[in-house]
Amino acid sequence: MNGIQKRVVILLVVAVTVITGLLACGGSGGLLSRNEPTATPTKTPKPTFTITPTPTDTPVPTNTPTPTSTATPTPENTNTPIVLTATPTLTPTNTLAPPTATRPPATATRRPATRVPPTATRPPQPTVPPAPQFPWTGVVTNQFQNCGLTRVFGFTLAANGALAGDQWVHYWADGWEGDWALSKWTDMGASTPFKGDEGNWDGTIDTRARDGVWKACVTDKDESWTCISNTVEVKSSSDCAAGHQVFHITFRKN
């Protein structure tokens, strides 16, 4: 039971107790019966109790979601073209007559116009290297000092750098027809301990140091003066301390 119901029950019990006491006093002949005549007791009405009803739980209000605001796009400003309504002021027309041009007499002879044609500039043409004059090319590849020898020697090589044997090399000097050396298929100086003696043809001129200008070229055959390579010239000296006496010449096929 809740607090209100308990209070109502207590009040009912108290009321019943009071009524019962009053009835007991009347039946036994108390003070009232001695001094006053007996009267019919008046019943006291029961008190009326108002029961306060239990308060009803008020339901919690439901949260109503706030409606989402929709952004209204702002219209873009439209540029209104400005129209000029003012009437432009016209520039007054020059009313003065232009001076009269004096033409030359009809008998005057006009000078014919001379036109100079523009000079056409041609772009420079690419330089084409000339074709080799000979199928072989010879160069001096080294030179040495040797007081006991005057000599030209070296290699005849194929286009890929390999040894090319059986090629005739003519070496000579002005006033001396010289001699012809046949190149070999092996390196004659590879087995010697002296660095620089490698070669596959040899042209020994003298067994002493001497002055002279010597020439060499590859020929088409033995004892031929027809060079199939450029002519290589070297200059030897009898001065063993300042000059050179031995020259290494390499001929290579183009």
Side-chain angles (χ1 to χ4, degrees):
M1 294 186 297
N2 53 26
I4 297 174
Q5 292 177 348
K6 288 180 180 181
R7 288 194 295 269
V8 171
V9 171
I10 292 172
L11 292 176
L12 291 176
V13 172
V14 172
V16 171
T17 302
V18 172
I19 295 172
T20 304
L22 293 176
L23 293 176
C25 292
S28 59
L31 294 178
L32 296 176
S33 62
R34 293 178 184 177
N35 300 323
E36 297 179 359
T38 303
T40 302
T42 303
K43 293 181 181 181
T44 303
K46 296 179 181 181
T48 302
F49 299 95
T50 302
I51 300 174
T52 304
T54 303
T56 304
D57 295 336
T58 304
V60 179
T62 304
N63 293 329
T64 303
T66 304
T68 304
S69 59
T70 304
T72 303
T74 304
E76 298 181 358
N77 294 330
T78 304
N79 294 328
T80 303
I82 300 173
V83 180
L84 299 177
T85 57
T87 303
T89 304
L90 298 177
T91 304
T93 305
N94 188 3
T95 57
L96 298 177
T100 304
T102 304
R103 293 184 179 181
T107 57
T109 302
R110 292 188 179 181
R111 193 175 188 180
T114 304
R115 294 184 180 179
V116 179
T119 303
T121 303
R122 294 184 179 180
Q125 300 298 322
T127 303
V128 179
Q133 185 178 0
F134 302 101
W136 291 78
T137 300
V139 293
V140 178
T141 50
N142 211 341
Q143 54 187 5
F144 309 94
Q145 291 178 337
N146 191 335
C147 287
L149 194 65
T150 302
R151 177 191 182 200
V152 291
F153 79 109
F155 285 113
T156 55
L157 304 176
N160 61 358
L163 291 176
D166 295 332
Q167 302 296 324
W168 289 100
V169 178
H170 182 206
Y171 54 97
W172 75 97
D174 292 340
W176 177 59
E177 69 174 7
D179 202 353
W180 285 260
L182 183 64
S183 63
K184 308 298 182 181
W185 288 99
T186 58
D187 186 352
M188 297 179 294
S191 59
T192 65
F194 302 103
K195 186 66 178 175
D197 286 346
E198 296 84 5
N200 67 342
W201 67 272
D202 183 19
T204 301
I205 298 171
D206 205 338
T207 57
R208 64 182 177 89
R210 58 182 298 176
D211 299 320
V213 176
W214 317 102
K215 303 176 183 180
C217 73
V218 179
T219 61
D220 55 347
K221 59 183 178 179
D222 186 17
E223 298 185 352
S224 172
W225 285 79
T226 302
C227 292
I228 58 175
S229 73
N230 61 305
T231 300
V232 179
E233 291 187 0
V234 294
K235 185 178 181 180
S236 65
S237 173
S238 58
D239 185 354
C240 299
H244 297 89
Q245 297 77 37
V246 179
F247 302 90
H248 190 279
I249 303 173
T250 299
F251 293 98
R252 186 166 183 168
K253 195 169 185 179
N254 297 323

